[in-house]
Amino acid sequence: MPDGRNPRASRRHDLAALIAPRETDNERHTRGARRKRETRDRMLDAAFGLVTQKGMDCVTINEITEAADVGFGSFYNHFESKEGIFVALVEWLSEEFANALDRLSGDLSDPAEVIAVCVRHTLMRAYREPVWGQLLIREGFSSRALSRGLGLRLLRDSERGISERRFV
């Protein structure tokens, strides 16, 4: 060893230098992304709770951040405005419900039955949760909402029913 270095120790050090930063960066990124997602979800959950109590027009950003237990400035890290959180809230609720409908109808083979089950459960939820139903009526039928979540699933199931000649 002319340079006085231990080649075995050097290889371990080089390997650690190659691996450790990636692991640390991934952990930090994952933890940061998770915290950001959790903060956003807390604000969405708080906004939904407040909307059910007071209606959309009466909820303030300060009330949302207080209920979510986050700093006021954090709101603007996730949403551009009060309207922005309500758009995100509708998308969040729609996607969550669309996933639940997929789980409910996943074992059904008849596209007409899939649509019937999904419509029935949608109406039942709107009846049980009037604020959710109002959000669905207000925002759920917009072109933006129909191009995501429930709208995409309805399109998928309708196209399947048409292609299987279940709907003529």
Side-chain angles (χ1 to χ4, degrees), residues 14-30:
D14 292 344
L15 184 59
L18 289 173
I19 295 173
R22 287 190 200 143
E23 290 174 348
T24 304
D25 289 345
N26 287 342
E27 288 171 2
R28 192 174 312 136
H29 176 70
T30 302

PDB file of all heavy atoms in Angstrom, residues 14-30:
ATOM      1  N   ASP A  14     -16.094   4.390   0.243  1.00  0.00           N
ATOM      2  CA  ASP A  14     -16.630   4.789  -1.057  1.00  0.00           C
ATOM      3  C   ASP A  14     -18.062   4.279  -1.239  1.00  0.00           C
ATOM      4  O   ASP A  14     -18.928   4.998  -1.735  1.00  0.00           O
ATOM      5  CB  ASP A  14     -15.758   4.269  -2.199  1.00  0.00           C
ATOM      6  CG  ASP A  14     -14.395   4.940  -2.235  1.00  0.00           C
ATOM      7  OD1 ASP A  14     -14.244   6.000  -1.583  1.00  0.00           O
ATOM      8  OD2 ASP A  14     -13.496   4.400  -2.900  1.00  0.00           O
ATOM      9  N   LEU A  15     -18.314   3.032  -0.820  1.00  0.00           N
ATOM     10  CA  LEU A  15     -19.641   2.461  -0.928  1.00  0.00           C
ATOM     11  C   LEU A  15     -20.610   3.227  -0.038  1.00  0.00           C
ATOM     12  O   LEU A  15     -21.711   3.577  -0.450  1.00  0.00           O
ATOM     13  CB  LEU A  15     -19.600   0.976  -0.526  1.00  0.00           C
ATOM     14  CG  LEU A  15     -20.893   0.196  -0.678  1.00  0.00           C
ATOM     15  CD1 LEU A  15     -21.361   0.233  -2.131  1.00  0.00           C
ATOM     16  CD2 LEU A  15     -20.699  -1.222  -0.215  1.00  0.00           C
ATOM     17  N   ALA A  16     -20.197   3.532   1.170  1.00  0.00           N
ATOM     18  CA  ALA A  16     -21.050   4.297   2.088  1.00  0.00           C
ATOM     19  C   ALA A  16     -21.340   5.674   1.517  1.00  0.00           C
ATOM     20  O   ALA A  16     -22.460   6.170   1.603  1.00  0.00           O
ATOM     21  CB  ALA A  16     -20.389   4.414   3.451  1.00  0.00           C
ATOM     22  N   ALA A  17     -20.344   6.282   0.904  1.00  0.00           N
ATOM     23  CA  ALA A  17     -20.540   7.608   0.327  1.00  0.00           C
ATOM     24  C   ALA A  17     -21.522   7.553  -0.839  1.00  0.00           C
ATOM     25  O   ALA A  17     -22.284   8.487  -1.058  1.00  0.00           O
ATOM     26  CB  ALA A  17     -19.208   8.177  -0.151  1.00  0.00           C
ATOM     27  N   LEU A  18     -21.507   6.455  -1.588  1.00  0.00           N
ATOM     28  CA  LEU A  18     -22.433   6.324  -2.706  1.00  0.00           C
ATOM     29  C   LEU A  18     -23.850   6.031  -2.234  1.00  0.00           C
ATOM     30  O   LEU A  18     -24.815   6.537  -2.784  1.00  0.00           O
ATOM     31  CB  LEU A  18     -21.981   5.192  -3.637  1.00  0.00           C
ATOM     32  CG  LEU A  18     -20.723   5.463  -4.451  1.00  0.00           C
ATOM     33  CD1 LEU A  18     -20.308   4.197  -5.188  1.00  0.00           C
ATOM     34  CD2 LEU A  18     -20.968   6.591  -5.438  1.00  0.00           C
ATOM     35  N   ILE A  19     -23.990   5.201  -1.214  1.00  0.00           N
ATOM     36  CA  ILE A  19     -25.308   4.760  -0.773  1.00  0.00           C
ATOM     37  C   ILE A  19     -25.946   5.738   0.210  1.00  0.00           C
ATOM     38  O   ILE A  19     -27.100   6.096   0.073  1.00  0.00           O
ATOM     39  CB  ILE A  19     -25.225   3.357  -0.140  1.00  0.00           C
ATOM     40  CG1 ILE A  19     -24.812   2.351  -1.204  1.00  0.00           C
ATOM     41  CG2 ILE A  19     -26.523   2.964   0.501  1.00  0.00           C
ATOM     42  CD1 ILE A  19     -24.533   0.981  -0.679  1.00  0.00           C
ATOM     43  N   ALA A  20     -25.217   6.197   1.197  1.00  0.00           N
ATOM     44  CA  ALA A  20     -25.793   6.982   2.280  1.00  0.00           C
ATOM     45  C   ALA A  20     -26.521   8.236   1.823  1.00  0.00           C
ATOM     46  O   ALA A  20     -27.640   8.466   2.250  1.00  0.00           O
ATOM     47  CB  ALA A  20     -24.726   7.328   3.306  1.00  0.00           C
ATOM     48  N   PRO A  21     -25.961   9.043   0.930  1.00  0.00           N
ATOM     49  CA  PRO A  21     -26.696  10.245   0.541  1.00  0.00           C
ATOM     50  C   PRO A  21     -28.046   9.933  -0.107  1.00  0.00           C
ATOM     51  O   PRO A  21     -29.014  10.594   0.148  1.00  0.00           O
ATOM     52  CB  PRO A  21     -25.769  10.938  -0.450  1.00  0.00           C
ATOM     53  CG  PRO A  21     -24.410  10.436  -0.116  1.00  0.00           C
ATOM     54  CD  PRO A  21     -24.635   9.031   0.367  1.00  0.00           C
ATOM     55  N   ARG A  22     -28.094   8.900  -0.908  1.00  0.00           N
ATOM     56  CA  ARG A  22     -29.369   8.533  -1.537  1.00  0.00           C
ATOM     57  C   ARG A  22     -30.384   8.126  -0.484  1.00  0.00           C
ATOM     58  O   ARG A  22     -31.520   8.549  -0.520  1.00  0.00           O
ATOM     59  CB  ARG A  22     -29.161   7.395  -2.522  1.00  0.00           C
ATOM     60  CG  ARG A  22     -28.466   7.840  -3.771  1.00  0.00           C
ATOM     61  CD  ARG A  22     -28.493   6.751  -4.795  1.00  0.00           C
ATOM     62  NE  ARG A  22     -27.454   7.007  -5.757  1.00  0.00           N
ATOM     63  CZ  ARG A  22     -26.714   6.097  -6.326  1.00  0.00           C
ATOM     64  NH1 ARG A  22     -26.880   4.829  -6.045  1.00  0.00           N
ATOM     65  NH2 ARG A  22     -25.791   6.423  -7.195  1.00  0.00           N
ATOM     66  N   GLU A  23     -29.986   7.299   0.458  1.00  0.00           N
ATOM     67  CA  GLU A  23     -30.917   6.867   1.494  1.00  0.00           C
ATOM     68  C   GLU A  23     -31.391   8.056   2.307  1.00  0.00           C
ATOM     69  O   GLU A  23     -32.571   8.214   2.559  1.00  0.00           O
ATOM     70  CB  GLU A  23     -30.265   5.826   2.407  1.00  0.00           C
ATOM     71  CG  GLU A  23     -30.052   4.496   1.717  1.00  0.00           C
ATOM     72  CD  GLU A  23     -29.284   3.514   2.568  1.00  0.00           C
ATOM     73  OE1 GLU A  23     -28.725   3.930   3.598  1.00  0.00           O
ATOM     74  OE2 GLU A  23     -29.243   2.340   2.207  1.00  0.00           O
ATOM     75  N   THR A  24     -30.464   8.908   2.685  1.00  0.00           N
ATOM     76  CA  THR A  24     -30.827  10.076   3.480  1.00  0.00           C
ATOM     77  C   THR A  24     -31.740  11.001   2.687  1.00  0.00           C
ATOM     78  O   THR A  24     -32.756  11.455   3.193  1.00  0.00           O
ATOM     79  CB  THR A  24     -29.566  10.840   3.932  1.00  0.00           C
ATOM     80  OG1 THR A  24     -28.737   9.921   4.646  1.00  0.00           O
ATOM     81  CG2 THR A  24     -29.911  11.985   4.828  1.00  0.00           C
ATOM     82  N   ASP A  25     -31.407  11.257   1.415  1.00  0.00           N
ATOM     83  CA  ASP A  25     -32.241  12.118   0.589  1.00  0.00           C
ATOM     84  C   ASP A  25     -33.629  11.513   0.404  1.00  0.00           C
ATOM     85  O   ASP A  25     -34.632  12.207   0.489  1.00  0.00           O
ATOM     86  CB  ASP A  25     -31.602  12.352  -0.784  1.00  0.00           C
ATOM     87  CG  ASP A  25     -30.384  13.254  -0.698  1.00  0.00           C
ATOM     88  OD1 ASP A  25     -30.207  13.920   0.345  1.00  0.00           O
ATOM     89  OD2 ASP A  25     -29.613  13.284  -1.673  1.00  0.00           O
ATOM     90  N   ASN A  26     -33.694  10.207   0.141  1.00  0.00           N
ATOM     91  CA  ASN A  26     -34.987   9.555  -0.036  1.00  0.00           C
ATOM     92  C   ASN A  26     -35.807   9.610   1.240  1.00  0.00           C
ATOM     93  O   ASN A  26     -37.004   9.881   1.193  1.00  0.00           O
ATOM     94  CB  ASN A  26     -34.819   8.096  -0.473  1.00  0.00           C
ATOM     95  CG  ASN A  26     -34.377   7.982  -1.913  1.00  0.00           C
ATOM     96  OD1 ASN A  26     -34.513   8.933  -2.683  1.00  0.00           O
ATOM     97  ND2 ASN A  26     -33.855   6.840  -2.283  1.00  0.00           N
ATOM     98  N   GLU A  27     -35.166   9.336   2.370  1.00  0.00           N
ATOM     99  CA  GLU A  27     -35.889   9.396   3.638  1.00  0.00           C
ATOM    100  C   GLU A  27     -36.390  10.807   3.891  1.00  0.00           C
ATOM    101  O   GLU A  27     -37.530  11.005   4.280  1.00  0.00           O
ATOM    102  CB  GLU A  27     -34.995   8.950   4.789  1.00  0.00           C
ATOM    103  CG  GLU A  27     -34.710   7.470   4.814  1.00  0.00           C
ATOM    104  CD  GLU A  27     -33.655   7.108   5.839  1.00  0.00           C
ATOM    105  OE1 GLU A  27     -33.176   7.997   6.561  1.00  0.00           O
ATOM    106  OE2 GLU A  27     -33.312   5.922   5.910  1.00  0.00           O
ATOM    107  N   ARG A  28     -35.531  11.794   3.661  1.00  0.00           N
ATOM    108  CA  ARG A  28     -35.912  13.182   3.889  1.00  0.00           C
ATOM    109  C   ARG A  28     -37.032  13.569   2.934  1.00  0.00           C
ATOM    110  O   ARG A  28     -38.014  14.178   3.329  1.00  0.00           O
ATOM    111  CB  ARG A  28     -34.710  14.101   3.704  1.00  0.00           C
ATOM    112  CG  ARG A  28     -34.972  15.507   4.196  1.00  0.00           C
ATOM    113  CD  ARG A  28     -33.754  16.379   4.143  1.00  0.00           C
ATOM    114  NE  ARG A  28     -32.595  15.725   4.717  1.00  0.00           N
ATOM    115  CZ  ARG A  28     -31.377  15.738   4.174  1.00  0.00           C
ATOM    116  NH1 ARG A  28     -31.161  16.407   3.070  1.00  0.00           N
ATOM    117  NH2 ARG A  28     -30.374  15.123   4.736  1.00  0.00           N
ATOM    118  N   HIS A  29     -36.896  13.206   1.669  1.00  0.00           N
ATOM    119  CA  HIS A  29     -37.921  13.529   0.678  1.00  0.00           C
ATOM    120  C   HIS A  29     -39.235  12.832   1.044  1.00  0.00           C
ATOM    121  O   HIS A  29     -40.296  13.444   1.016  1.00  0.00           O
ATOM    122  CB  HIS A  29     -37.459  13.108  -0.719  1.00  0.00           C
ATOM    123  CG  HIS A  29     -38.503  13.328  -1.757  1.00  0.00           C
ATOM    124  ND1 HIS A  29     -38.884  14.575  -2.174  1.00  0.00           N
ATOM    125  CD2 HIS A  29     -39.280  12.444  -2.423  1.00  0.00           C
ATOM    126  CE1 HIS A  29     -39.836  14.457  -3.071  1.00  0.00           C
ATOM    127  NE2 HIS A  29     -40.087  13.177  -3.244  1.00  0.00           N
ATOM    128  N   THR A  30     -39.160  11.571   1.397  1.00  0.00           N
ATOM    129  CA  THR A  30     -40.352  10.818   1.750  1.00  0.00           C
ATOM    130  C   THR A  30     -41.008  11.412   2.989  1.00  0.00           C
ATOM    131  O   THR A  30     -42.212  11.607   3.012  1.00  0.00           O
ATOM    132  CB  THR A  30     -39.998   9.340   1.992  1.00  0.00           C
ATOM    133  OG1 THR A  30     -39.394   8.833   0.805  1.00  0.00           O
ATOM    134  CG2 THR A  30     -41.213   8.525   2.320  1.00  0.00           C
TER     135      THR A  30
END
